[in-house]
Amino acid sequence: MTKLAINGGTPVRDTYLPYGQQWIEDDDIEEVVKALKSDYLTTGPKIKEFEEKFGKYVGVKYAVAISNGTAALHGASFAAGIKEGDEVITTPITFAASANCILYQGGKPVFADIDSSTYNIDPKDIEEKISSKTKAIVPVDFTGQPVNIDEINAIAKKYNLIVIEDGAHSLGAEYKGKRIGSLVDMTTFSFHPVKHITTGEGGMITTNNKELYEKLKLFRTHGITRDKEILYNKNESSWYYEQLELGYNYRITDIQCALGISQLNKIDKFLRRRREIAEKYNEYLKDIDGIVLPYQEEYIKSSWHLYVIQLELEKFKVGRREIFEALQAENIGVNVHYIPVYYHPYYQKLGYKKGLCPNAEKLYERIITIPLYPKMTDKDVKDVVEALDKVLKYYKR
């Protein structure tokens, strides 16, 4: 049997393959340079242009560009009117920001368990967790597979709740033939370098509700406006402005938006390649014993932000940690998405205990994210498969 790199053998790859990475080309750089040479570095025309093109792409009336994906979630929570004493239901299998945004507004995150097949939040458990204090639901499109939007919207309507869809993983994904971004009250997106398009750091909030749109625009600029339609004192000169809310400086720059526009022009190419890689993994990995491949609902079209395998640990002589570290030693940049949010020490100090979401906790112990991003070559994909085969065979019972 081939000796593992972690035991002194030769790694499958000479160079490290990250789990995710941006794809920046010369035309992206040229657009950024143009922005740097323009009259506006921030609060200029590129922001509106990016918002309009993004809104058109996802099929929504209003889009608000913001400094990052966490700020997008914070802004949506603010616009939803979440305040102290309110409860908001979300999933534990997500990055902490999906829950932190509730805390920012003084609310309390309530964690609903996941569906064991899709790994997305389970609508049945959402309904079970609703109380008289529940104000909103923050479902997360984990790995790029949209949540069950129809069921969640039906629950929201029944209990008069707002839905904030965390679409950080799902730009370009489709739910029953419609792109994510216009199907709930508000949807948030992230443009971190590992996401589908990047602005370095950046985010977007989309909505079809004009009232929410106006609140979001205020929120990202200190709560300050010059819009005479909403000023209290409408008779002052053009220099005049008013602070109407306690907002933040969550502005995004023209430099970032210039990059975002260029990247958005390539989104179809990026998505096509992500889906090709996922199909290759599905084909190459189906015969490797000891792993469960991602399940996809037939009515969705994933944007494949992540490819997450689940280990059947009972078939191996070691645990997830040993397998993970062996793959890293083979120069395969595996990761784990995610540690359940309420496992974090900060949430433990707030009084959350393990045992809240059994399905999520069981999943966490078994999952590994393998590399998937558009710039990967077919050789990169085969290296990942080879490393998995090598490591899993070595540790097989």
Side-chain angles (χ1 to χ4, degrees):
M1 185 174 289
T2 306
K3 191 174 185 181
L4 297 187
I6 201 167
N7 296 331
T10 303
V12 166
R13 288 177 59 89
D14 295 330
T15 58
Y16 184 77
L17 183 72
Y19 87 88
Q21 191 179 60
Q22 72 278 5
W23 190 352
I24 301 295
E25 298 175 293
D26 287 345
D27 56 343
D28 298 309
I29 296 167
E30 287 169 9
E31 291 304 314
V32 171
V33 171
K34 286 179 188 176
L36 286 167
K37 292 180 176 180
S38 73
D39 293 334
Y40 292 91
L41 296 185
T42 191
T43 65
K46 283 295 176 185
I47 296 164
K48 188 67 175 174
E49 182 183 349
F50 186 33
E51 290 171 337
E52 289 177 350
K53 289 188 174 181
F54 191 92
K56 184 177 180 181
Y57 176 76
V58 302
V60 75
K61 288 181 182 177
Y62 308 110
V64 179
I66 200 161
S67 56
N68 54 64
T70 300
L73 284 162
H74 189 186
S77 299
F78 167 84
I82 295 166
K83 60 186 185 304
E84 189 171 353
D86 290 337
E87 293 180 352
V88 179
I89 299 171
T90 192
T91 174
I93 299 296
T94 184
F95 186 62
S98 308
N100 289 348
C101 64
I102 302 160
L103 296 176
Y104 296 156
Q105 289 298 114
K108 177 185 177 182
V110 174
F111 296 100
D113 211 347
I114 61 167
D115 179 283
S116 294
S117 297
T118 65
Y119 312 155
N120 275 330
I121 193 168
D122 184 351
K124 294 182 180 65
D125 204 40
I126 290 175
E127 191 157 17
E128 288 183 10
K129 299 290 173 66
I130 290 172
S131 75
S132 60
K133 296 179 180 179
T134 307
K135 183 68 173 281
I137 307 167
V138 181
V140 178
D141 299 327
F142 180 58
T143 74
Q145 175 166 210
V147 293
N148 192 322
I149 292 172
D150 287 347
E151 286 194 33
I152 291 172
N153 276 340
I155 292 168
K157 184 176 181 181
K158 180 178 177 181
Y159 295 96
N160 193 30
L161 307 176
I162 289 179
V163 180
I164 302 167
E165 184 178 8
D166 184 341
H169 292 188
S170 58
L171 177 58
E174 295 179 14
Y175 178 84
K176 297 184 178 179
K178 295 182 179 179
R179 282 187 184 140
I180 295 303
S182 66
L183 306 178
V184 300
D185 296 297
M186 288 176 280
T187 307
T188 65
F189 296 92
S190 168
F191 307 131
H192 182 275
V194 298
K195 299 302 195 303
H196 295 81
I197 65 171
T198 188
T199 57
E201 289 281 3
M204 190 78 74
I205 314 152
T206 59
T207 183
N208 283 314
N209 185 307
K210 192 171 191 301
E211 183 180 347
L212 293 174
Y213 172 62
E214 296 298 340
K215 288 180 179 179
L216 292 166
K217 286 195 299 179
L218 271 178
F219 182 78
R220 72 174 171 189
T221 54
H222 306 276
I224 289 173
T225 186
R226 295 178 185 270
D227 186 346
K228 286 188 178 294
E229 288 187 14
I230 58 175
L231 291 175
Y232 281 73
N233 187 345
K234 302 180 187 302
N235 298 318
E236 287 285 358
S237 183
S238 58
W239 57 265
Y240 185 72
Y241 58 89
E242 292 174 348
Q243 181 178 338
L244 305 182
E245 300 281 359
L246 182 60
Y248 291 76
N249 181 359
Y250 278 163
R251 295 189 299 260
I252 193 169
T253 68
D254 282 58
I255 303 164
Q256 292 168 290
C257 288
L259 177 56
I261 293 164
S262 182
Q263 288 268 294
L264 189 59
N265 290 335
K266 306 173 184 184
I267 184 65
D268 290 338
K269 177 178 81 170
F270 291 165
L271 287 167
R272 187 164 54 249
R273 182 57 182 161
R274 283 181 177 274
R275 288 167 178 151
E276 285 173 358
I277 292 169
E279 286 176 8
K280 288 179 185 296
Y281 278 149
N282 289 342
E283 178 62 27
Y284 297 155
L285 297 176
K286 67 181 180 181
D287 295 324
I288 295 181
D289 191 33
I291 59 176
V292 177
L293 303 186
Y295 169 81
Q296 301 287 291
E297 295 282 14
E298 61 182 13
Y299 53 81
I300 66 93
K301 191 173 183 181
S302 179
S303 55
W304 287 107
H305 169 55
L306 301 173
Y307 194 99
V308 175
I309 61 170
Q310 185 180 166
L311 299 171
E312 296 177 304
L313 289 175
E314 60 278 3
K315 295 183 176 180
F316 299 100
K317 295 179 286 188
V318 296
R320 191 256 310 266
R321 177 176 176 173
E322 289 83 359
I323 293 170
F324 181 93
E325 291 176 354
L327 289 167
Q328 286 271 344
E330 300 293 338
N331 278 325
I332 304 300
V334 288
N335 209 325
V336 172
H337 296 91
Y338 290 95
I339 301 168
V341 175
Y342 58 79
Y343 275 26
H344 292 299
Y346 182 80
Y347 279 81
Q348 294 280 298
K349 285 187 282 187
L350 291 177
Y352 293 88
K353 304 294 183 185
K354 293 183 180 181
L356 287 175
C357 299
N359 292 342
E361 294 180 20
K362 181 181 178 182
L363 179 74
Y364 165 60
E365 298 296 333
R366 293 166 172 258
I367 51 175
I368 291 179
T369 303
I370 61 176
L372 195 167
Y373 55 94
K375 206 174 180 181
M376 283 178 67
T377 65
D378 288 353
K379 172 67 164 57
D380 292 333
V381 174
K382 288 180 178 178
D383 286 346
V384 175
V385 174
E386 183 182 341
L388 274 168
D389 188 54
K390 176 182 177 183
V391 169
L392 296 180
K393 279 182 178 174
Y394 182 86
Y395 287 124
K396 199 86 185 329
R397 283 191 186 278

